[in-house]
Structures are given as structure tokens and as C-alpha cells.
Amino acid sequence: MPNSRSRRRHKVGQEAGRRELVSRSLQSAQHCLVEQDFGTAYAHYLLVLNLAPELKSDVKANFQFTLFKWAEELDSLARTQDLFDCYEHALELFPNDEVICNSMGEHLFRMGFRDEAAAYFHKAVKLNPDFPDAKENFYRVANWVVERWHFIMLNDSNRNLLYQKAIQKAVQSGCRSILDIGTGTGILSMFAKQAGASSVYACELSKTMYELACEVLAANHLDGKIKLLHMKSLDIEIPKHISERVSLVVTETVDSGLFGEGIVESLIHAWEHLLLPPKPNGGSTGAEIYGKVIPAGATVWGMAVECKEIRRHHRVGVKAVAGVCIPEKLKFYSPTYASENSDETIEPYTTEKLSRVPGGFTALTEHFQILTVDFNNLQELKSFSTSKPSKIHVPAVKEGILDAIVVWFTLQLDDEHMLSTSPSEDTCWEQAVYPVQGLLDYSVKSGDSVSMEIACQDCYLRIQKVSLVASERGMDVERNFGEKNSEAELCSALASLQTASTLERVGQECLLDSPEIALLNNLPYHECFKAAIGKVLSSLSLQEQSPSMDIDHNADGQKDELSPEKNQLKAYSSVEKEQHQVALSLISEANNFPKETLEFWLSHLQDESMVLQRPKLDKLWSIIILDVIETSGLIQQDVMEKAAISRCLLHSGGKIFPQHVIMYGMLVESKSLVLETAVQGTDPTLGLNIAPFINQFKVPVRVFLDLSTLPYVPLSKPVELLRVDLMNPYVNSSSREVKVEICKSGQVTGVPFWYHVHLDEDIYLDTSSETSHWKQAAVVLDNPIQVQAGDELVLSIQYHKSNISITVKQ
């Protein structure tokens, strides 16, 4: 009995000691917060929560605040491991806290761990589907980890059926062991197992796609029958990862340019290390002892085209912008041109769905064969990386302007089944576009010859050194504008020795992304800015005029309408790329503006945060230009925060451009929007249950749309959805409802939207105009709504941290 009382006293004493320690730790944590000693405060809170888990709900808010502040410090000190350790401890204590999960994802995303970030954002959304920050973060990262072409491809039932038939035929002919390289959702592996293959292996490098494939296999009761490997095929070893050499490799690791996903490298490795030897020519033995590949081969086709849309995104076609001349020695190029001479591996083409390119295109040549490749021939695959470039000459059949070489391919799955990515086919594929740049004359006449060099290197098909051979008076005269011959190069070198400035003779190249080139070509854009800036400056007396500044990191930096009028105005630019600064300086010099009238703001700052500090009176600005709309068709992130800072930096009477933005939209029926956003049930995937799993990664907004070519039926007239005022934020509303009358019966599947960017009340830019460098976007409904003419729907618009959501209510 005495021992029992002693134990009770001991326990009471322990409990009292625990409460005392918890109380003192809480006090210390609060004191550390006041002193902004977040690391020590975090340690105290950890102690409290481990000793007194019953206090979780009481200290949760303070703990979260401390965690986030301490994580910011650790991030700034590059103490990455300590940062992640803190979050791991926090998630052990609060495993179902969506705010902590979302914050962890944000840190991972900033550090480049997209797959891992996606997992935390996804968990946060599952924990709280109405948490706006987590939803927006998840939508942003979903576009990276599950690329949008997965949805389009899985909805292409013809593509899926052709692969299924080819795989079925191979298995029935004796291929019993199969490896699926780059399995994605696992659809080709499942086709193989359904066809009766005894051993099926699949590999996938992306962590997100690997985990998604695991879910898909389990849902289709094949998780124990297909061995899924989270690795590159180049790292697979026998017998460590797979038990045997396989008789069939299936893959679709091809892009619009055929080779860009590394199919040649992966198949060389497969033939050398993973596949059974190929069937010898003329051999008659059963297929089960030989190896083969699906697809068996491919033929690459090309065509020279005229296309205004491609031209305006890859060639600067203007000599002056809003009255400011662009010097001839300044040459602008898009990245595809730079890839020819770059040491870096840059994709040498862009992609377009030519059937939907605005303004269409004109074929200047017949389609021609560029090359063929046999994926079942190891020596041929090896020769691709070592073969010398070949020359192709193609006769022009139509007069026009040479804008690009367009490339597509036919994929021969076997001797019976073939699919094509031709622009004339109804296919999920886009075409590869090689813009033609660097010529003095792009005009083509019937009978001329288009000459080009074909090379395969760095896993890419390259079409380079494009030139024209004009047929004149029976003689071929080559107009080779992009390259100099050796004699010309020698003469140029000798001449440069006698000049003070080599730059003046050879010119200055400036690399711009294609939307930046389209912006330079967008003359109405520049004329609107010129008019609006002129109105502001004329309203200010000469004595009150102060510097103008473009504080936003404008990609092209060519805000030529800000050009100073000789000592009356000083323009600041925030462009960071050195070659863009050089280009602006050359433009300023060519137009005889004094050097001191153009200054690069950020080049003077050691700490960029200094730009946020309110300057002295003589450093206030008359005009601040913000880049408000992304090229994708969305409002820029943090635009309201930038506007708030800008308002503090304005001179009396100064203006922010744009002053306000009005968002317009309409209700439409569009099958294309639906197919490009989510997999539509089991029909397109031939009965396999894939849609619910990949559709977890669908996003409600489709970006980079061209409404001029999007197949849709308008079901309402355009209506104003939202107004965002940058000069008077107090009039902004974070939510509103808009009634929309239906003018045509149908199914509402989406709400495309665009903007009028108002520089002032009278001058605005329309982001949906044909000269716009901006694309449009659309909200896609989860479930279509059947409507009749005369019906009325209500659109609920939410605006949160520059992100817009639209809900359609009946």
C-alpha cells in the first residue's frame, strides 16, 4: 500500500512537471515570436506539441505561423535539408493539415521538385477541395507533371485501336514477353496483357505518371500481372530488373518531330541489352525466339509553306515601331534559329496544329520525303548520330512567301497498321514547324527550288541552311542568305580589319521568344501606347515632368513608345537580359536619343527589393507600365501587388498603364475543349478504366487558345465578366454574378474569355484581335449543361490572387 501511494505521488509529480515545462515552453515560444527568433520559437512549439498533444488545436495557428516564418529563413540561408526536416516534423504532428501540405508543396516547386510538389498540392486539395491557394498551385503544377497531350492522345480512339491491333497481332504471332518503354498511364502494357502475353514489363521515369500508372493497373486488376518499374529504360538491367530479354518492345516515345523524346537512343540500348536478336532476313523460324519493336519504322515528310501566323511569331517584319526606327544592323531571331549554332541542346522546331492555325497556310511545294527509319535495324539506328547532313532540293509549285518547313511522319506499327500525323489527318498530333529565318528575300516563284540540309543530332531532326534557288533564264541562281561561302567570309574578315566597329559591319543579333516577336509586330499595340503616353505627358507641365519607368520584367524589352524626346523625358527599363539591353541601346542610338535618356533600372540595384521602397520626390514616376496579361491568356500572378507598389511610386498626375482591365466571355459548345481537357470515359480507351485517375490532373482552364480557329458554337453573346482596376483598387470586387441569356440551343461546355486592356478610358487593346500577341483561355465545365434559346444562366466569378474561377449555374 505505501508503494502504491508512492507511485501515485511520483506520477502526480511527473504530471505537474510536464505541465510546468509545457507552460514555460509556451511562454518562451511567445517571447521568441515577439523577438522574431522563429527558429527557437519553432523548437519550443515542437516540445509543447510532443509533451501535450491535447493542445494541438489551441496552438495550431501560432505553430503554422512560426513554421512558415522559420522556413522562409531557412530557405534564404539555403539550409534545404533543415527546411524539409521542419516540414516533416510538422506533418507528423498535423498529417491532415492542408495549409502545411500546400506550403511544403510551394517550397518543393520553387526548388524544382515538381513531382513531389504535385503530391503535396494534390493531398491539400483532397483534404480541402475549397482551399483556393492549394487548388491554384495544383492546377499550375499539373500542367508540368501530366502534360496536356496525354488527355488528347487517350481520347484518340483510332490511335489506341491501331496500337491495340498491332500488339495483339504480335502476341498472337509468338511474342510472349513484352517491355513497354515510357508507359505513361500503362495503356499499351494493358493491351499486351489483354492479348495474352505471359510476361509484361513497363517503365516510366516520371514519379507522378508512375504512381498514376500503378493506380490504373490496380483498377483494371492487372497490378500483379504487369511489372512496373520507376526508371529510365536505359537503366534497366537483366536479371536485376527484368528476368529475361524480351521478344517485343512497344513504345510511343516520339514527339511531333519524331526523335525529340529520345526514341533512337532508347531503342539502341534496348536492342543491345534488353531485346532478343532480330529475325534475320529471309528467316522462317517462329517469332518467339526473335525480337521486334512496335512501331517497326517511320517515314518523315516535309512541305514548304507560307503562313502569316508563323511569320509574325518568328520574323520581325516592321522597320519602325510607333515612330521609332529599328536599325538594320539589329537582327531579331527566335530560338529555333539560334539552335543551329548553339552549343546547348535547343529544340530546333516549334509545334502547331496546322489545321487550326489562324489564317491557315498555303503549300508552296508538294509534300516530300525527308527520311525513313527502321526501328528493327540496330545498325541503321546507330548510323543516325554519325551520318553526315544530307541536302534536299524541292521544286516550288506555287508562288508565295517562304515562312516555314512543316514536318510530320507516318508511323508504321507493323506491316499492316499505320498512323499518320499529317495536317490533313484527323489526329491528336501537332506538326513540327521549322521557321525559315535569316534570308534577305523570302519570295518564291513556281519553278524555284527550296534547298535545305537534313541532319539528325542531339536526339533531334534538324532542318537547317534553308535557301532558295531561283530559275532565271535557264540558269539556276542560288540565293543563299543565311550562310556565307568561304570566299565571302574571308572578304568580310579582311574588311572588318579596316573598320573601327566590327559590330556595325556584322550586325547585332538579339534572341526573342516567339510571343515577343509577335508583340514587336503588333503595330496597333504600340500605336495605342504611343497615344496614351502622349496624352499623359501633355497633361503634365514641363516643370513637373519626371522620369518614366517600365518596372515590369518585360520579356522583349522593346517598349519603344517610351522613347525620350531629347532631354525632356527619361525612360527606365527593367529588362534583365543583357542582349535585350544592348538591343534597346542600339535602338536609342539609331534614333539619336541622348545616352542619358535611357537607363536600366535593375542594373543599379544590388538588392532588387530596393525597387519596392518609396523614392524621394525627384524619383517619382510619371508613367509605370505593368505587364498585366500573360501570353497564355491569364492575368499575371501578383499583378495587384505590383499595382499597389506602383501607386506609391507615381508622381501627382502620373498613371499606371493599363489603368484597368475588363474581362469578357461567352458560353459556347465545343467538343474540342472537352477532348483536350479530360479523358471521356472508357470508350476512347477501349474499355480500360483510365479516365478517373488521369482526370485527377485535369485543370479547369484551357490556355493558349486561338478563338479564331477553335471549333465551337456560340450559345450566348459576349458579356462583361470582371473589371480589375489598377489605379482604384477599392472599386474591385473579389466575386460577382453575371446573368447570361442563351441565344442558341445546345450544350454549354465552356466559357472562353479575353480582355480589353484599357490604357485609359478611350484607348484599349483587345487581346482577341487578329494582331494580338496574346492568346485566349477558356474555363471548361466538368459537366455540360443542356440549354434552350431564351434560357438564362448565372456565371459566378471569383477573383483570388490574380486567379479567376468561373462557375456556371442554372
Side-chain angles (χ1 to χ4, degrees):
M1 204 64 182
N3 287 337
S4 176
R5 281 197 295 269
S6 175
R7 282 195 297 271
R8 279 199 296 271
R9 282 196 302 271
H10 180 67
K11 285 183 178 179
V12 169
Q14 276 187 324
E15 179 61 22
R18 184 184 71 89
R19 286 199 299 267
E20 175 66 18
L21 182 55
V22 167
S23 175
R24 285 164 55 188
S25 292
L26 279 174
Q27 290 175 9
S28 297
Q30 290 296 325
H31 175 73
C32 290
L33 285 181
V34 172
E35 298 296 319
Q36 297 190 349
D37 182 1
F38 300 114
T40 308
Y42 178 77
H44 282 298
Y45 277 123
L46 276 186
L47 180 61
V48 168
L49 290 167
N50 279 293
L51 290 175
E54 67 275 10
L55 295 178
K56 277 185 179 180
S57 58
D58 295 331
V59 302
K60 180 178 176 180
N62 282 343
F63 175 75
Q64 284 181 346
F65 174 79
T66 306
L67 169 66
F68 300 154
K69 286 294 186 180
W70 179 225
E72 285 177 13
E73 281 192 30
L74 291 173
D75 192 18
S76 67
L77 296 169
R79 291 171 56 184
T80 305
Q81 189 56 54
D82 290 337
L83 185 151
F84 288 141
D85 287 345
C86 286
Y87 273 100
E88 285 179 11
H89 293 148
L91 287 168
E92 286 173 5
L93 294 164
F94 297 95
N96 295 319
D97 188 290
E98 69 273 20
V99 179
I100 295 177
C101 285
N102 180 65
S103 182
M104 174 69 156
E106 288 177 336
H107 282 286
L108 287 165
F109 185 76
R110 281 196 294 270
M111 294 177 186
F113 300 107
R114 291 171 183 160
D115 281 305
E116 292 78 4
Y120 280 100
F121 293 146
H122 197 196
K123 182 178 179 180
V125 172
K126 282 185 173 180
L127 290 167
N128 183 358
D130 297 321
F131 183 20
D133 288 357
K135 283 200 299 185
E136 294 304 330
N137 282 330
F138 178 66
Y139 295 151
R140 189 180 356 142
V141 77
N143 282 313
W144 290 98
V145 297
V146 180
E147 295 187 80
R148 301 302 95 184
W149 53 258
H150 281 288
F151 299 95
I152 302 169
M153 192 166 282
L154 288 168
N155 279 322
D156 188 343
S157 54
N158 180 60
R159 168 257 183 193
N160 298 335
L161 184 60
L162 286 170
Y163 258 98
Q164 185 190 52
K165 287 181 176 179
I167 291 169
Q168 197 170 47
K169 180 181 175 183
V171 173
Q172 290 173 351
S173 70
C175 293
R176 311 303 297 172
S177 55
I178 287 134
L179 171 62
D180 177 6
I181 295 178
T183 192
T185 59
I187 188 170
L188 302 187
S189 300
M190 292 188 286
F191 286 160
K193 201 62 190 177
Q194 285 180 333
S198 56
S199 302
V200 180
Y201 309 96
C203 63
E204 175 57 51
L205 180 60
S206 162
K207 184 174 185 290
T208 300
M209 291 305 299
Y210 165 77
E211 291 173 351
L212 193 155
C214 289
E215 291 184 281
V216 169
L217 294 183
N220 289 275
H221 311 292
L222 292 169
D223 48 328
K225 301 174 183 178
I226 296 173
K227 184 174 181 180
L228 190 57
L229 303 167
H230 179 211
M231 61 197 315
K232 291 171 66 175
S233 67
L234 302 178
D235 296 327
I236 295 176
E237 299 176 17
I238 297 174
K240 183 178 180 180
H241 302 113
I242 64 177
S243 60
E244 59 192 336
R245 281 184 176 257
V246 297
S247 51
L248 176 66
V249 161
V250 295
T251 187
E252 200 177 25
T253 49
V254 293
D255 69 342
S256 296
L258 186 62
F259 300 126
E261 294 290 329
I263 190 171
V264 171
E265 183 185 13
S266 61
L267 289 183
I268 289 174
H269 177 268
W271 277 116
E272 290 181 335
H273 302 285
L274 307 174
L275 264 165
L276 291 170
K279 186 176 181 179
N281 292 332
S284 58
T285 315
E288 68 277 2
I289 64 169
Y290 294 111
K292 65 189 295 186
V293 173
I294 293 177
T299 302
V300 180
W301 305 91
M303 180 169 63
V305 301
E306 175 179 339
C307 179
K308 289 182 180 178
E309 185 70 5
I310 294 172
R311 186 189 314 153
R312 78 184 187 98
H313 278 83
H314 293 277
R315 295 206 297 262
V316 174
V318 296
K319 295 183 178 179
V321 176
V324 177
C325 295
I326 298 177
E328 288 188 9
K329 64 183 177 183
L330 181 58
K331 305 296 182 184
F332 294 105
Y333 296 107
S334 72
T336 55
Y337 181 82
S339 70
E340 290 187 26
N341 303 310
S342 174
D343 293 332
E344 300 178 36
T345 302
I346 302 173
E347 196 167 75
Y349 46 82
T350 62
T351 61
E352 292 280 357
K353 199 167 183 64
L354 282 192
S355 60
R356 277 169 52 176
V357 71
F361 67 94
T362 300
L364 301 179
T365 67
E366 301 287 357
H367 69 272
F368 54 90
Q369 182 175 303
I370 292 176
L371 60 81
T372 62
V373 56
D374 182 353
F375 293 132
N376 284 303
N377 186 323
L378 175 59
Q379 295 310 313
E380 185 175 319
L381 291 172
K382 284 184 171 182
S383 71
F384 268 94
S385 58
T386 57
S387 59
K388 294 181 179 179
S390 60
K391 201 83 170 176
I392 293 182
H393 302 275
V394 185
V397 297
K398 195 161 189 175
E399 184 174 325
I401 298 173
L402 178 60
D403 292 317
I405 308 297
V406 174
V407 166
W408 66 92
F409 56 85
T410 49
L411 209 56
Q412 201 70 43
L413 303 184
D414 56 22
D415 55 8
E416 184 180 350
H417 302 98
M418 182 266 292
L419 61 84
S420 171
T421 68
S422 165
S424 62
E425 297 282 340
D426 183 16
T427 174
C428 62
W429 289 88
E430 294 182 324
Q431 291 75 47
V433 175
Y434 295 79
V436 178
Q437 303 177 73
L439 308 190
L440 295 177
D441 184 1
Y442 297 88
S443 59
V444 179
K445 294 181 180 179
S446 181
D448 289 352
S449 180
V450 182
S451 175
M452 68 201 76
E453 195 173 88
I454 309 298
C456 292
Q457 59 190 68
D458 303 326
C459 295
Y460 289 116
L461 171 66
R462 296 184 180 274
I463 297 179
Q464 54 202 26
K465 299 183 180 178
V466 178
S467 62
L468 294 172
V469 179
S471 184
E472 298 175 359
R473 294 188 297 276
M475 297 177 60
D476 285 343
V477 180
E478 184 168 5
R479 294 183 285 161
N480 190 347
F481 315 111
E483 300 291 324
K484 301 182 180 73
N485 58 36
S486 57
E487 185 178 350
E489 288 175 345
L490 178 60
C491 292
S492 176
L494 290 171
S496 68
L497 293 175
Q498 302 173 30
T499 181
S501 173
T502 305
L503 181 64
E504 292 180 5
R505 188 159 297 273
V506 300
Q508 173 68 37
E509 292 186 1
C510 181
L511 188 67
L512 299 178
D513 289 332
S514 58
E516 298 165 2
I517 291 178
L519 187 152
L520 263 182
N521 286 322
N522 187 356
L523 290 180
Y525 172 96
H526 302 290
E527 291 298 333
C528 284
F529 265 101
K530 180 180 180 181
I533 290 172
K535 286 169 69 175
V536 173
L537 296 180
S538 65
S539 70
L540 300 172
S541 68
L542 291 178
Q543 292 77 23
E544 293 175 333
Q545 280 185 9
S546 58
S548 272
M549 171 184 165
D550 168 11
I551 69 166
D552 205 75
H553 298 262
N554 235 350
D556 64 351
Q558 307 304 322
K559 276 284 189 285
D560 300 319
E561 52 278 341
L562 283 182
S563 301
E565 298 177 3
K566 295 188 179 180
N567 298 319
Q568 296 180 356
L569 175 69
K570 187 162 187 176
Y572 281 79
S573 173
S574 66
V575 294
E576 293 178 311
K577 293 181 181 178
E578 184 178 349
Q579 61 171 323
H580 292 178
Q581 293 185 5
V582 170
L584 275 176
S585 298
L586 282 173
I587 291 171
S588 179
E589 180 185 338
N591 287 272
N592 299 317
F593 299 132
K595 288 184 178 181
E596 63 272 12
T597 57
L598 174 66
E599 196 164 339
F600 298 103
W601 177 249
L602 293 183
S603 63
H604 292 286
L605 301 180
Q606 297 299 319
D607 179 4
E608 285 190 24
S609 65
M610 288 176 64
V611 80
L612 309 184
Q613 298 174 6
R614 188 182 181 98
K616 298 176 182 178
L617 186 63
D618 62 346
K619 287 294 184 181
L620 296 178
W621 315 105
S622 302
I623 298 167
I624 296 177
I625 299 175
L626 296 179
D627 195 4
V628 176
I629 308 298
E630 293 180 6
T631 311
S632 65
L634 300 178
I635 293 179
Q636 289 274 12
Q637 291 287 311
D638 303 324
V639 70
M640 295 312 295
E641 290 82 349
K642 288 183 179 180
I645 295 166
S646 299
R647 287 192 296 273
C648 297
L649 301 175
L650 283 176
H651 189 278
S652 176
K655 300 291 183 183
I656 295 173
F657 284 164
Q659 295 182 30
H660 65 269
V661 175
I662 299 177
M663 174 181 170
Y664 292 90
M666 62 180 170
L667 302 176
V668 303
E669 179 175 347
S670 174
K671 184 180 178 182
S672 295
L673 273 182
V674 173
L675 294 178
E676 293 168 7
T677 304
V679 177
Q680 303 301 302
T682 57
D683 287 344
T685 53
L686 311 182
L688 292 171
N689 187 17
I690 298 175
F693 305 97
I694 192 163
N695 286 350
Q696 295 176 86
F697 293 89
K698 71 179 182 180
V699 296
V701 180
R702 186 84 168 93
V703 294
F704 288 106
L705 289 176
D706 251 306
L707 290 185
S708 63
T709 58
L710 175 72
Y712 72 90
V713 177
L715 302 181
S716 77
K717 293 180 179 179
V719 294
E720 181 179 323
L721 300 179
L722 183 71
R723 177 185 171 113
V724 179
D725 200 308
L726 281 71
M727 287 292 292
N728 301 294
Y730 306 108
V731 304
N732 292 332
S733 174
S734 61
S735 63
R736 71 183 299 235
E737 291 193 341
V738 179
K739 292 181 179 179
V740 184
E741 184 178 344
I742 300 299
C743 62
K744 185 171 183 174
S745 301
Q747 275 196 334
V748 178
T749 59
V751 186
F753 57 89
W754 61 97
Y755 311 91
H756 285 180
V757 181
H758 283 260
L759 305 184
D760 58 28
E761 289 299 330
D762 304 316
I763 302 173
Y764 70 87
L765 302 158
D766 183 351
T767 66
S768 67
S769 72
E770 65 176 21
T771 61
S772 171
H773 63 283
W774 290 294
K775 299 295 184 181
Q776 296 83 54
V779 170
V780 184
L781 275 59
D782 285 332
N783 300 300
I785 299 175
Q786 191 70 42
V787 293
Q788 301 294 324
D791 288 353
E792 192 173 74
L793 298 183
V794 176
L795 302 186
S796 175
I797 297 101
Q798 304 289 326
Y799 182 59
H800 174 75
K801 291 186 177 179
S802 303
N803 296 304
I804 296 170
S805 64
I806 300 175
T807 306
V808 183
K809 305 176 184 177
Q810 282 183 297

